[in-house]
Amino acid sequence: MAATEIDIFSNEEKRSLELGGHVGFDSLPDQLVSKAVSQGFCFNILCVGETGIGKSTLINTLFNTTFESDEASHYLSDVHLRPKTYDLQESNVNLKLTIVDTVGFGDQINKEESYKPIVDYIDTQFENYLQEELKIRRSLHNYHDTRIHICLYFIAPTGHSLKSLDLVTMKKLDSKVNIIPVIAKADTISKSELHKFKIKIMSELVSNGVQIYQFPTEDEAVTEINSTMNAHLPFAVIGSVEQVKVGNKMMRARLYPWGSAQVENESHCDFVKLREMLLRVNIEDLREQTHARHYELYRRCKLEEMGFKDTDPDSQPFSLQQTYETKRKEFLVELQRKEEEMRQMFVNKVKETEAELKEKERELHERFEQLKRMHHDEKRNLEEKRRELEEEMNSFNRRKVAAETLMGQALQSCSQQPFKKDKDKKK
Amino acid sequence: MTANTRYRSRLLRSGKRDHIYTEKEYVGFATLPNQVHRKSVKKGFDFTLLVAGESGLGKSTLVNSLFLTDLHKDRKLLNAEERISQTVEITKHTVDIEEKGVKLKLTIVDTPGFGDAVNNTECWRSIEGYIDHQFEQYFRDESGLNRKNIQDNRVHCCLYFIPPFGHGLRPVDIEFMKALQEKVNVVPLISKADCLTPGEIKKLKERLREEIDKYGIKIYQFPDCDSDEDDEFKQKDRELKESTPFAVIGSNAVVEVKGQRVRGRLYPWGIVEVENPAHCDFVKLRTMLIRTHMNDLKEVTCDVHYENYRAQCIQTMTSKVNADNRVESPIPLFPLSTPDADTEKLIKMKDEELRRMQQMLQKMQQQMHEQDL
């Protein structure tokens, strides 16, 4: 019944009416804006690039402040991500800015695993948001959104082309985050070389199917500026927080013996363009793209992995509840099976150990018997020997006695003999 | 008549007037340096330079600037996707250049692909192998019968390019220099120095010197100049030593600065002159490499690195000879294979058997002893 009612609604023609007077719902955007302003905005930037290429300096220059960070070492064994959150305020707009730095990128000798920590970090932020969304009691408007809205990829100014590591990493990241490639330390490249370099980079990106972020050209207010900016990608930037006296003004620049490269001079570098695009014009579009495209893609993949589908084989829309039920049943069945398995294993193990123990007992017993027998034999031998010894002793004693008596007799006769002789003589 | 005056009058008579006569006695062997000079000019010099470092650091540009030629005319640079699993190649370019009658046969050995792949484990092996191969070839030639025309292809100097974008030495730099420090004179350079301000250059040099000391890397050391040189020379020498590693910039293009045409790089904010000592250390490097220390580099290669290699080689050969218990024959050219491998095996087997029997005997003795008790 409910289905037919819905059908009626969609078939109805939508009529547009003229208003008789001023109602006042044209203030809706303003209400939205004031609500958003009071809530505050959040923006997350990920900076990927080799150590020492100027990531921290560029962020400092962009936001015209010094975010404290210590110099990274070249000798880390793998890539780490360092997120830092700051609260900024301009006019009455609060911005919760999170800057994620990649430490140790490009330093190792074997860089095959370098992209993994970055991809894992991005996925984790998506996962956290997904978990929050799926909660029963959720508070999405209080939730601190840490999903990465933009990735600034810093390309080293070699003047030839992209490095192999850059290509591999950007390919892995292009479906997960908005990438804007920038050429760092652009005060090393002269104008003609820069032009060739940019063309080479863009052609390499296109030929390898890397999708970088294109500034949107649908909204008429910004379409013109965005399309010109799209042609200037990748931006060649110089970063500096030092104030240098140029002419009679103090401005941010890098002072060389042959001149000073000014950060905000459009003919020196594309810094102004980057700031314009990133912060002044397209920041909201970046957030929207992250939510509508990258996050949705992640969510879809994740849920499909878990087994959820939008339509079952009969092309009837699946309700989430049904899916939950089936999933739960499956899960319980699985649990039971596992339990059985474990029990079986346990029983088997016990049997085995028992058998082993029995075997050992038997062996011990045998050994004991053997030893006993040996002991017995020894004892018997010993007895025999003792008897023999006794016999010997006895015979010895007898002989001794015999010898003694013989000797005694002999002595007596000897002692008597001289007496007799004397007696004879005396006679 | 003293001996000297006799000698002088004899020479006068024979008409030899090659040398200048002074009042003091003059023998004439002070012209030896001139003779050496003439002969060496006729013979010509050769020098082999190895350049190593990641792509895009300006190695070819620097070599072109150093020798004022264009060595790499049609170079094919690989794309990024082709470099993902690239192996290191060794390419050689030889040019003959001449200046004021002195001929130099210059060989530049390039190492495209070094450090470019995603996995760079042991990417310096092929470079090490190349250097060893040159040593081996020279060793063999030297021990040969006909030694007139030995070609010296040994690598005399290795310029290693360190990128200026980092905070110091990276693991791949340390591994490379440690692997080659015993085989060739390693001269580290800070490449593309036009992206560093003077303060940053100073800091980076100190950092590099510290790290080179810390990891015990033996780079090429300049020899101390003689004590009888004049002070200006000593001062220059000291400055040279204190500014290593050199921070260099190279350029293929000629720009116009204050009416002069010099090699340089043109930026919107200024022009960098390659040969300006206030801009970079290119002049110092050129002076060191070509004008003052080229011969010293060759000598150190001959006397130290090659001798080490030779001693090692001979040692391994003689230890093999001794192991075979043969009569000391003159060192053969090629290492001998072990012809008595079979008998050695037999001996080993018999040894084993003997040992086993001894053990059994001992056991039986022990048993008897126990039984007696």
Side-chain angles (χ1 to χ4, degrees):
Chain A
M1 273 304 157
T4 44
E5 275 174 30
I6 295 171
D7 283 346
I8 291 172
F9 271 133
S10 56
N11 282 341
E12 236 178 57
E13 260 187 47
K14 298 189 178 49
R15 307 173 294 157
S16 36
L17 293 172
E18 287 270 321
L19 293 172
H22 180 242
V23 180
F25 62 76
D26 61 353
S27 68
L28 265 174
D30 297 324
Q31 295 176 25
L32 228 74
V33 166
S34 61
K35 179 135 182 274
V37 167
S38 64
Q39 249 182 11
F41 298 91
C42 76
F43 192 55
N44 307 320
I45 305 181
L46 170 68
C47 296
V48 181
E50 296 178 358
T51 310
I53 201 108
K55 306 185 281 286
S56 318
T57 313
L58 185 70
I59 298 292
N60 289 350
T61 319
L62 264 177
F63 289 97
N64 214 350
T65 169
T66 312
F67 299 110
E68 25 171 88
S69 57
D70 3 286
E71 225 177 56
S73 131
H74 278 287
Y75 306 111
L76 297 167
S77 56
D78 51 38
V79 179
H80 298 288
L81 280 101
R82 262 199 319 212
K84 289 208 177 111
T85 311
Y86 306 96
D87 279 312
L88 305 173
Q89 195 183 37
E90 196 178 48
S91 307
N92 58 343
V93 177
N94 292 323
L95 180 67
K96 212 182 186 68
L97 179 71
T98 304
I99 302 175
V100 186
D101 205 356
T102 48
V103 176
F105 188 76
D107 278 333
Q108 299 83 26
I109 294 186
N110 183 354
K111 297 176 268 217
E112 283 176 351
E113 308 282 309
S114 293
Y115 68 86
K116 284 215 180 105
I118 305 176
V119 171
D120 286 341
Y121 180 82
I122 297 176
D123 280 342
T124 316
Q125 309 315 309
F126 281 156
E127 182 65 33
N128 292 345
Y129 193 83
L130 184 65
Q131 291 302 324
E132 183 67 30
E133 237 190 7
L134 291 177
K135 268 197 205 163
I136 298 175
R137 247 199 244 171
R138 58 190 194 179
S139 51
L140 274 178
H141 46 256
N142 277 342
Y143 178 69
H144 176 206
D145 184 7
T146 52
R147 296 173 296 178
I148 302 288
H149 298 124
I150 172 146
C151 168
L152 285 174
Y153 195 92
F154 288 73
I155 299 175
T158 57
H160 293 317
S161 66
L162 282 177
K163 291 196 185 177
S164 47
L165 175 66
D166 296 340
L167 198 61
V168 166
T169 312
M170 278 206 260
K171 266 197 92 82
K172 295 278 180 200
L173 289 177
D174 70 349
S175 55
K176 295 201 180 271
V177 72
N178 303 313
I179 302 183
I180 294 188
V182 290
I183 301 176
K185 300 213 169 173
D187 47 356
T188 282
I189 318 184
S190 63
K191 256 217 156 66
S192 51
E193 290 170 358
L194 187 63
H195 190 63
K196 269 197 289 182
F197 190 37
K198 280 192 185 183
I199 293 180
K200 190 81 205 292
I201 291 179
M202 291 312 280
S203 75
E204 280 196 334
L205 288 176
V206 163
S207 65
N208 282 291
V210 175
Q211 295 195 336
I212 57 174
Y213 176 71
Q214 296 290 329
F215 301 117
T217 45
E218 288 104 23
D219 185 5
E220 320 92 36
V222 290
T223 184
E224 201 185 296
I225 185 172
N226 275 350
S227 43
T228 41
M229 288 304 178
N230 272 331
H232 278 116
L233 281 173
F235 294 126
V237 292
I238 304 175
S240 170
V241 280
E242 291 158 6
Q243 300 275 348
V244 160
K245 197 169 174 73
V246 176
N248 46 6
K249 284 200 292 176
M250 293 293 279
M251 56 168 71
R252 291 182 292 175
R254 284 176 63 80
L255 186 60
Y256 292 110
W258 49 86
S260 49
Q262 294 146 29
V263 166
E264 304 202 13
N265 185 333
E266 292 232 27
S267 60
H268 287 190
C269 72
D270 297 331
F271 173 78
V272 173
K273 297 194 182 82
L274 175 69
R275 186 177 57 188
E276 188 83 14
M277 287 291 100
L278 192 59
L279 299 179
R280 294 184 185 172
V281 177
N282 293 311
I283 199 172
E284 187 51 40
D285 182 70
L286 284 165
R287 283 154 44 113
E288 214 185 285
Q289 285 276 332
T290 311
H291 183 74
R293 217 175 62 178
H294 301 292
Y295 171 68
E296 285 302 310
L297 183 65
Y298 175 82
R299 183 172 171 278
R300 198 175 69 200
C301 292
K302 208 60 201 299
L303 291 181
E304 272 177 1
E305 234 178 84
M306 290 209 268
F308 293 105
K309 283 189 276 291
D310 272 341
T311 54
D312 73 349
D314 302 329
S315 321
Q316 287 281 69
F318 243 3
S319 86
L320 212 60
Q321 198 194 15
Q322 262 183 304
T323 334
Y324 264 136
E325 280 299 317
T326 36
K327 284 249 126 193
R328 212 162 75 94
K329 276 198 219 128
E330 266 181 46
F331 186 60
L332 282 173
V333 164
E334 181 78 21
L335 260 179
Q336 256 189 324
R337 199 176 56 82
K338 282 220 166 115
E339 230 183 281
E340 265 307 309
E341 236 182 75
M342 284 222 297
R343 199 173 312 189
Q344 263 312 91
M345 222 171 47
F346 184 65
V347 165
N348 283 353
K349 267 233 155 108
V350 166
K351 273 210 199 115
E352 261 179 47
T353 347
E354 245 184 63
E356 259 180 55
L357 279 173
K358 272 215 177 85
E359 178 76 28
K360 284 255 160 81
E361 213 186 304
R362 208 173 41 82
E363 266 182 42
L364 213 68
H365 219 64
E366 246 184 60
R367 208 125 186 264
F368 182 61
E369 291 291 317
Q370 206 188 25
L371 281 172
K372 212 159 86 164
R373 253 181 287 135
M374 265 174 63
H375 183 73
H376 206 65
D377 285 340
E378 289 268 334
K379 214 159 141 187
R380 237 185 322 127
N381 282 353
L382 223 68
E383 280 292 327
E384 251 186 58
K385 286 220 167 105
R386 194 149 69 108
R387 244 185 305 128
E388 275 180 25
L389 201 69
E390 267 193 40
E391 263 188 46
E392 258 192 61
M393 264 175 51
N394 284 347
S395 60
F396 179 68
N397 276 341
R398 265 183 276 131
R399 273 196 280 150
K400 187 163 120 178
V401 164
E404 270 184 3
T405 43
L406 216 65
M407 233 179 45
Q409 278 182 0
L411 261 176
Q412 257 191 4
S413 57
C414 253
S415 57
Q416 275 179 9
Q417 282 274 41
F419 275 145
K420 264 197 185 152
K421 274 201 180 136
D422 279 347
K423 263 186 190 168
D424 285 338
K425 269 191 193 157
K426 273 182 186 165
K427 268 185 180 170
Chain B
M1 245 187 173
T2 59
N4 282 328
T5 43
R6 238 184 283 143
Y7 176 73
R8 241 193 359 204
S9 53
R10 207 184 306 142
L11 278 173
L12 266 173
R13 264 183 273 133
S14 60
K16 287 206 172 82
R17 292 191 192 279
D18 285 351
H19 39 268
I20 308 164
Y21 274 115
T22 60
E23 286 313 309
K24 304 190 209 133
E25 271 63 30
Y26 178 71
V27 180
F29 55 77
T31 58
L32 266 172
N34 293 357
Q35 298 176 27
V36 171
H37 189 237
R38 262 207 320 264
K39 200 138 197 219
S40 57
V41 166
K42 247 174 53 178
K43 197 166 131 191
F45 296 91
D46 58 20
F47 190 67
T48 310
L49 184 67
L50 173 75
V51 286
E54 283 185 4
S55 323
L57 288 180
K59 303 187 292 288
S60 321
T61 314
L62 186 74
V63 167
N64 285 348
S65 310
L66 268 176
F67 295 101
L68 294 176
T69 58
D70 189 11
L71 283 172
H72 305 262
K73 264 199 261 282
D74 341 281
R75 222 168 29 135
K76 183 178 162 303
L77 292 167
L78 293 179
N79 289 331
E81 66 261 23
E82 291 165 357
R83 283 191 272 164
I84 290 177
S85 46
Q86 197 191 22
T87 51
V88 181
E89 297 172 359
I90 310 271
T91 58
K92 238 167 63 156
H93 297 272
T94 309
V95 280
D96 282 312
I97 44 186
E98 188 179 321
E99 194 181 52
K100 288 198 196 137
V102 178
K103 298 198 201 57
L104 175 67
K105 179 162 129 359
L106 176 70
T107 311
I108 310 279
V109 182
D110 201 356
T111 54
F114 178 80
D116 280 345
V118 178
N119 185 353
N120 289 318
T121 328
E122 311 233 317
C123 56
W124 51 85
R125 278 267 177 264
S126 47
I127 303 175
E128 239 188 293
Y130 176 80
I131 298 177
D132 277 340
H133 183 69
Q134 304 311 311
F135 278 158
E136 195 191 314
Q137 207 180 21
Y138 192 80
F139 183 44
R140 225 171 267 190
D141 286 344
E142 213 186 33
S143 327
L145 292 171
N146 187 354
R147 305 207 295 182
K148 256 197 183 209
N149 300 322
I150 305 183
Q151 279 246 343
D152 186 4
N153 286 324
R154 296 172 292 182
V155 179
H156 298 122
C157 176
C158 167
L159 293 178
Y160 184 68
F161 287 72
I162 300 174
F165 312 127
H167 297 309
L169 286 178
R170 295 165 308 157
V172 68
D173 302 331
I174 297 175
E175 292 294 317
F176 177 86
M177 289 202 270
K178 278 190 100 87
L180 274 118
Q181 63 190 1
E182 307 279 335
K183 299 191 192 253
V184 74
N185 300 314
V186 176
V187 178
L189 300 173
I190 302 174
S191 56
K192 294 207 167 174
D194 53 354
C195 86
L196 298 169
T197 61
E200 288 171 353
I201 292 186
K202 200 154 145 296
K203 218 171 69 161
L204 185 61
K205 282 191 184 181
E206 270 171 22
R207 201 51 175 294
L208 286 176
R209 275 200 291 260
E210 236 179 70
E211 289 188 344
I212 288 178
D213 272 334
K214 185 167 120 179
Y215 290 99
I217 300 173
K218 297 191 223 142
I219 56 174
Y220 172 70
Q221 301 289 340
F222 298 109
D224 294 319
C225 56
D226 306 319
S227 49
D228 58 351
E229 298 276 357
D230 57 358
D231 278 329
E232 196 196 316
F233 192 79
K234 279 201 206 159
Q235 168 77 3
K236 274 193 150 169
D237 193 58
R238 216 177 323 137
E239 269 176 33
L240 207 70
K241 286 195 194 150
E242 277 168 17
S243 55
T244 50
F246 295 129
V248 292
I249 303 172
S251 167
N252 280 328
V254 176
V255 292
E256 184 135 340
V257 169
K258 292 186 206 139
Q260 280 189 323
R261 293 177 66 75
V262 290
R263 277 196 178 229
R265 290 174 64 76
L266 179 63
Y267 289 113
W269 49 86
I271 301 180
V272 182
E273 295 164 47
V274 165
E275 302 198 9
N276 187 336
H279 289 188
C280 72
D281 295 331
F282 175 80
V283 177
K284 291 204 184 93
L285 173 68
R286 188 179 56 188
T287 314
M288 185 280 284
L289 193 61
I290 302 178
R291 294 184 190 170
T292 48
H293 288 95
M294 193 183 243
N295 200 37
D296 183 68
L297 284 164
K298 287 175 71 160
E299 270 181 23
V300 172
T301 312
C302 284
D303 296 340
V304 176
H305 300 294
Y306 173 66
E307 288 301 311
N308 280 343
Y309 172 84
R310 192 169 168 272
Q312 242 182 12
C313 222
I314 294 179
Q315 217 175 30
T316 41
M317 281 203 270
T318 50
S319 66
K320 279 209 183 117
V321 166
N322 280 338
D324 289 348
N325 275 337
R326 283 202 172 177
V327 170
E328 281 280 319
S329 50
I331 313 293
L333 268 178
F334 300 96
L336 301 158
S337 59
T338 50
D340 295 333
D342 290 330
T343 47
E344 269 202 52
K345 252 198 283 181
L346 265 171
I347 293 174
K348 276 203 192 118
M349 267 170 49
K350 296 280 186 224
D351 268 338
E352 272 295 318
E353 268 192 58
L354 232 106
R355 226 177 301 142
R356 257 182 284 140
M357 305 215 102
Q358 269 190 345
Q359 275 183 350
M360 274 178 53
L361 216 76
Q362 265 190 349
K363 251 195 263 175
M364 282 170 54
Q365 273 188 349
Q366 261 191 346
Q367 274 187 355
M368 280 185 31
H369 201 65
E370 277 172 22
Q371 276 193 351
D372 282 341
L373 287 175

